[in-house]
Amino acid sequence: MLLAVPLAPLAGAVLAGFFGRAIGRAGAHSVTILGVLISFILSVLVLNDVLDGARFNATVYEWMTIGDSASLRGSLKMEVGFLVDGLTAMMMVVVTFVSLMVHVYTVGYMAEDPGYQRFFAYISLFTFSMLMLVMSNNFLQLFFGWEAVGLVSYLLIGFWYTKPTAIFANMKAFLVNRVGDFGFILGIGLIVAYGGSLSYAEVFGKANELAKIPFPMPLWGGEWMLITVTCICLFIGAMGKSAQFPLHVWLPDSMEGPTPISALIHAATMVTAGIFMVARMSPLFELSDTALNFILIIGAITALFMGFLGIIQTDIKRVVAYSTLSQLGYMTVALGASAYSVAVFHLMTHAFFKALLFLGAGSVIIGMHHDQDIRNMGGLRKYMPITWITSLLGSLALIGTPFFSGFYSKDSIIEAVHASHLPAAPWAYAAVVIGVFVTAFYSFRMYFLVFHGKENFRHKPFPSEDAGGHDQHDDHHGDDHGDHGHNGSHVHVPHESPWVVWLPLVLLAIPSVVIGYLTIGPMLFGDFFKGAIVVNAAQHEAMKDLAEHFHSAQAMAAHALQTVPFLLAAAGVATAYLFYMVVPALPVAIGRALSPLIRVLENKYYLDWFNENVLAAGARLLGRGLWKGGDMGLIDGVLINGSARAVGLLANLARLVQTGHVYWYALVMLLGVFGMLTWQLWPAVLLPFLSGLAGR
């Protein structure tokens, strides 16, 4: 049954990818949806077994064994195996459910795209890759899934490969993730070198021994501890996959891919891989306070400063993308506070409402005939009622409204950080609290501009489908209702999306509202993650403190009405309403007054500029120097061409004595004989002569 969970989406991907033309569009979406549906049903059954106490940890296939078990260092086994516990089962259900919703949604969203079958093959392969990652019981399989999701994300971000911005974006994602993956493979290498195994269970069993091993750091001088270096290397991998500062720069550009894959990447697959990995490695991370402080700082920077960037975005998908960055920062902060269960709890709730917001944004894009600029929207509530209400529910969950799913996980993160005694915790707490206001402001800025207020689309014609770099497929949803703007040009009136688009929105809205209320008790304070997540309660007291103050989900929500995070969230919504509904000239005036700051935000803190003009340009300069000086100058010029020139010079000299005349050869022979005789006789003749001179 466990084998069938990842193999069902893989089978669908193979059929749609290699036989897409034969089975047609309907066949492609049928086999992939069926594969993911099977995977989802089996995942639910696995979760039910786990709730009953079942656990599984075994090898499915032994690929190779390196070394001899009788040798001093033993053998290294490379295996495919599954580890199923509470953490795995939860991730399996989340990944398959969100993927299933995205598959159904794609039927409507990509209906006229020429790469229809290819897209379904990719997203089904994406699901297989993520399942292999979360179900693994060893570092080899973890790394396989890790790289596989990176590869498929590259293919999906650049799905429209004729669009230059898409090709730039997928290459950017690929290269930035190579930086993170370099750290990740170094961490795994240290584990193998010192732990002697790729198996989670064996490595975790040796964790206390590894924590006592010093590790020389020549560049910094002195010694660090091996466990600290290993955990930081592993977390650098998470920084790339889960888009943490400064390796976050690829994620906003991933919006160049079609909207369904934006939802899949941001909600349930690639960006959650890093959070899951650190939670799975909790037995290691718990042994290094230095690594945990580093995680806290990185997460806090991402949570706050990426939220600021969401305030000035005008592309509806990019607003949601920066929201993802900020929320990933919240999850990372929870990891740093040793509240691993809270981090993955927020991962779960976030997957539902973030998928809802992304797919809702895609529905708006369909209704707006592929215009993604929120300044050209407004008043869509009466034209797209289902999209409106589901997007509102998703936004309320995102900002942490009491009783909504996001509230339980987000407030738990804030409280966990507040309870942490690590040196970086006060800074992280300030960042996540301020981030509450920022999140509420940019979320409802987008909501008000899109669904309420003046209908700006009536005064401006929509761009053509291929203009402006928006989703490049023909409008095919429903009938076009024509209207004429004030300039006399033909404009389209928005309309609700077809059922294959809005049905996933409704199904995602349900867990976005209730899943946090239903699961906070067993996930955070029960035994659901027992054995999967390890916390040193004596040293890291965050979860212990949370448990002491938690009474019930109802009590937590009721108490929240008088807390600072709730007041800040309400203030963020009120400020957005004032700025964009009551006094729309106010944000314009503030933006003009703060133009230098706005310029910094518009340039994304100049990190892209730094990467392109310093890091990339420096790499190109180094490469050019190695090419011109090393390759062409030293290797080609001196070693290869230089040796050839030396041979040519000797040949030219030899050619001077090879005249072809007999008298010349005779003279050379006589000179040679004379030279040899002189060589033999000179000691007997010359030495007495020199001795006589010396005597005088």
Side-chain angles (χ1 to χ4, degrees):
M1 183 171 77
L2 292 176
L3 271 171
V5 174
L7 292 182
L10 178 62
V14 170
L15 290 172
F18 290 105
F19 306 102
R21 290 187 179 180
I23 63 178
R25 289 171 171 258
H29 72 235
S30 297
V31 295
T32 51
I33 291 175
L34 178 62
V36 177
L37 177 62
I38 292 171
S39 185
F40 170 64
I41 293 170
L42 293 177
S43 297
V44 172
L45 295 176
V46 169
L47 177 61
N48 186 60
D49 290 342
V50 167
L51 291 173
D52 290 336
R55 296 292 185 270
F56 182 89
N57 182 16
T59 299
V60 176
Y61 171 68
E62 186 174 305
W63 180 35
M64 67 169 72
T65 301
I66 300 174
D68 182 4
S69 58
S71 67
L72 183 63
R73 297 187 63 86
S75 60
L76 182 66
K77 293 184 178 181
M78 297 189 172
E79 302 167 328
V80 176
F82 294 142
L83 168 60
V84 179
D85 50 22
L87 179 58
T88 302
M90 182 273 290
M91 288 297 296
M92 288 166 63
V93 172
V94 170
V95 169
T96 53
F97 178 73
V98 173
S99 179
L100 179 61
M101 295 300 100
V102 170
H103 275 70
V104 174
Y105 180 93
T106 301
V107 174
Y109 195 87
M110 301 290 286
E112 298 298 326
D113 196 281
Y116 190 82
Q117 292 97 316
R118 178 167 57 96
F119 189 81
F120 272 99
Y122 286 170
I123 59 175
S124 200
L125 186 61
F126 210 169
T127 307
F128 158 75
S129 303
M130 189 65 187
L131 287 169
M132 289 295 286
L133 188 155
V134 301
M135 295 175 69
S136 65
N137 73 343
N138 62 84
F139 287 94
L140 177 69
Q141 188 176 327
L142 174 71
F143 190 71
F144 164 77
W146 193 268
E147 292 303 314
V149 293
L151 170 63
V152 184
S153 70
Y154 169 82
L155 297 173
L156 283 162
I157 294 169
F159 180 78
W160 287 313
Y161 53 83
T162 58
K163 198 163 77 167
T165 52
I167 297 304
F168 179 83
N170 75 343
M171 184 56 69
K172 185 176 183 180
F174 196 77
L175 292 176
V176 171
N177 273 279
R178 297 288 67 72
V179 177
D181 292 355
F182 179 66
F184 189 56
I185 194 80
L186 285 178
I188 294 175
L190 288 172
I191 287 171
V192 172
Y194 288 89
S197 176
L198 287 166
S199 167
Y200 292 163
E202 293 181 20
V203 172
F204 295 162
K206 299 177 181 177
N208 289 322
E209 297 175 25
L210 296 176
K212 299 175 184 177
I213 300 175
F215 190 84
M217 298 290 287
L219 295 179
W220 287 274
E223 286 183 340
W224 284 26
M225 298 308 292
L226 170 68
I227 197 71
T228 296
V229 178
T230 302
C231 289
I232 289 177
C233 286
L234 291 174
F235 180 68
I236 289 172
M239 287 169 62
K241 277 288 179 290
S242 292
Q244 295 299 291
F245 176 90
L247 301 182
H248 67 278
V249 292
W250 67 270
L251 194 62
D253 289 350
S254 70
M255 296 300 96
E256 292 296 334
T259 299
I261 194 51
S262 300
L264 199 54
I265 287 177
H266 287 239
T269 52
M270 186 166 169
V271 297
T272 61
I275 307 299
F276 165 81
M277 182 272 293
V278 176
R280 176 61 78 196
M281 301 298 135
S282 60
L284 302 179
F285 281 88
E286 275 300 278
L287 299 172
S288 174
D289 281 5
T290 303
L292 292 175
N293 277 288
F294 178 67
I295 294 171
L296 269 174
I297 293 169
I298 295 296
I301 293 172
T302 308
L304 181 58
F305 289 97
M306 296 307 109
F308 287 146
L309 294 182
I311 295 173
I312 55 101
Q313 301 302 315
T314 56
D315 185 310
I316 187 171
K317 286 172 65 177
R318 286 184 179 265
V319 177
V320 187
Y322 279 107
S323 167
T324 301
L325 280 173
S326 181
Q327 296 307 304
L328 287 166
Y330 274 83
M331 297 176 210
T332 303
V333 164
L335 295 172
S338 292
Y340 306 99
S341 57
V342 178
V344 294
F345 181 52
H346 191 52
L347 184 159
M348 178 194 70
T349 61
H350 174 264
F352 295 119
F353 61 73
K354 187 51 57 71
L356 171 60
L357 287 171
F358 260 115
L359 298 184
S363 179
V364 169
I365 292 169
I366 293 171
M368 292 295 292
H369 302 265
H370 315 296
D371 185 0
Q372 297 179 198
D373 194 328
I374 59 177
R375 296 170 296 183
N376 298 337
M377 300 178 188
L380 295 185
R381 178 171 59 92
K382 64 181 180 182
Y383 300 102
M384 308 181 71
I386 299 176
T387 302
W388 160 65
I389 192 65
T390 52
S391 296
L392 175 60
L393 294 174
S395 298
L396 290 171
L398 172 61
I399 70 170
T401 307
F403 291 102
F404 282 72
S405 295
F407 157 75
Y408 290 104
S409 55
K410 197 171 180 181
D411 265 39
S412 297
I413 290 174
I414 295 171
E415 292 304 317
V417 178
H418 184 59
S420 175
H421 297 298
L422 291 174
W427 147 247
Y429 178 70
V432 294
V433 169
I434 297 170
V436 171
F437 174 86
V438 176
T439 301
F441 180 76
Y442 68 65
S443 298
F444 274 82
R445 167 183 176 265
M446 180 182 74
Y447 170 77
F448 289 133
L449 287 176
V450 172
F451 294 106
H452 294 274
K454 187 172 68 173
E455 298 177 359
N456 292 310
F457 56 85
R458 289 190 173 277
H459 305 284
K460 188 174 182 179
F462 291 137
S464 63
E465 271 72 70
D466 290 334
H470 299 307
D471 289 357
Q472 296 182 353
H473 56 279
D474 297 330
D475 176 56
H476 51 275
H477 305 287
D479 300 324
D480 287 8
H481 304 287
D483 194 7
H484 295 274
H486 289 200
N487 58 4
S489 59
H490 185 74
V491 297
H492 299 285
V493 175
H495 51 80
E496 187 58 89
S497 302
W499 72 268
V500 287
V501 172
W502 63 251
L503 179 61
L505 300 182
V506 174
L507 295 177
L508 284 166
I510 296 170
S512 297
V513 176
V514 303
I515 197 72
Y517 179 89
L518 297 175
T519 59
I520 183 171
M523 282 196 172
L524 299 195
F525 311 110
D527 294 333
F528 185 75
F529 291 127
K530 186 177 181 180
I533 291 173
V534 176
V535 178
N536 184 349
Q539 191 171 355
H540 305 127
E541 300 178 353
M543 290 307 299
K544 179 182 175 183
D545 190 75
L546 283 182
E548 290 175 356
H549 291 86
F550 179 79
H551 301 292
S552 67
Q554 302 96 312
M556 182 177 176
H559 173 70
L561 298 175
Q562 51 188 328
T563 60
V564 172
F566 174 75
L567 297 176
L568 286 173
V573 175
T575 305
Y577 184 80
L578 174 67
F579 277 22
Y580 299 100
M581 297 296 293
V582 180
V583 192
L586 191 57
V588 177
I590 293 175
R592 196 176 295 116
L594 300 177
S595 57
L597 177 60
I598 300 299
R599 194 173 301 114
V600 171
L601 295 178
E602 288 175 343
N603 285 281
K604 296 173 279 190
Y605 306 116
Y606 293 97
L607 284 171
D608 281 341
W609 180 91
F610 178 82
N611 290 335
E612 292 176 21
N613 294 280
V614 178
L615 296 182
R620 286 195 299 270
L621 183 63
L622 176 63
R624 191 175 293 111
L626 293 173
W627 168 41
K628 294 284 189 181
D631 193 19
M632 296 181 66
L634 178 62
I635 297 174
D636 287 346
V638 176
L639 298 180
I640 298 175
N641 295 333
S643 59
R645 283 192 293 270
V647 171
L649 179 63
L650 292 174
N652 287 331
L653 292 174
R655 191 172 61 184
L656 294 176
V657 299
Q658 297 296 328
T659 64
H661 299 293
V662 174
Y663 63 83
W664 169 252
Y665 294 148
L667 175 62
V668 170
M669 289 173 64
L670 290 173
L671 290 173
V673 171
F674 177 76
M676 290 175 65
L677 290 172
T678 305
W679 180 262
Q680 294 292 329
L681 293 174
W682 77 268
V685 176
L686 191 58
L687 285 177
F689 176 72
L690 292 175
S691 297
L693 289 176
R696 291 197 188 99

